[in-house]
Amino acid sequence: MSNATTRRLPHPELKDVELPAVLFALSDPARLDLVRQLAAQGPLTVAQCQATEPGVPKSTFSHHLKTLREAGLIRNDPAGRQRIVTLRKAEVDERFPALLDAVLSSSPAHPPE
């Protein structure tokens, strides 16, 4: 019997992903921070990703993961009782050369004081 932890989620083929969907997914500061974290640290469990933003409601965090997954930026795969989140950097680089490098090298946004 499958449950939410072990269920395989659909991941788009990168050839089917359009640039506006990727840019939209990266336009939210929390999602951009998550992409930066995955680029710097490699694959993480959902719990490890969520630990960096403990004040974010679980439903909001789940929405961020879904948006990034549907934009083709991450994979979210079952691994035993956990889920592993992986940045699809090589695939995204092939589809949109230098996009992630440009985004990841930009300075994190700082809110106005």
Side-chain angles (χ1 to χ4, degrees):
M1 184 161 94
S2 179
N3 65 35
T5 304
T6 59
R7 183 173 56 106
R8 292 221 174 263
L9 300 173
H11 296 88
E13 295 290 329
L14 264 292
K15 66 179 177 54
D16 299 329
V17 172
E18 297 296 327
L19 183 59
V22 174
L23 294 176
F24 173 77
L26 294 171
S27 69
D28 182 275
R31 291 192 294 261
L32 181 55
D33 284 347
L34 179 54
V35 169
R36 284 187 171 123
Q37 180 184 10
L38 291 168
Q41 297 178 25
L44 299 169
T45 66
V46 170
Q48 289 171 317
C49 293
Q50 203 168 12
T52 62
E53 297 285 338
V56 174
K58 187 176 181 179
S59 60
T60 301
F61 183 74
S62 293
H63 173 73
H64 288 325
L65 289 177
K66 179 182 178 187
T67 301
L68 290 168
R69 179 177 50 80
E70 290 178 346
L73 290 164
I74 65 167
R75 290 195 61 81
N76 185 337
D77 295 308
R81 297 180 55 96
Q82 301 179 26
R83 297 195 70 84
I84 302 295
V85 180
T86 307
L87 182 62
R88 297 174 69 181
K89 187 170 185 326
E91 295 169 83
V92 174
D93 285 347
E94 186 175 318
R95 175 78 167 104
F96 304 107
L99 175 68
L100 280 180
D101 289 336
V103 170
L104 295 172
S105 67
S106 66
S107 298
H110 297 288
E113 293 182 19

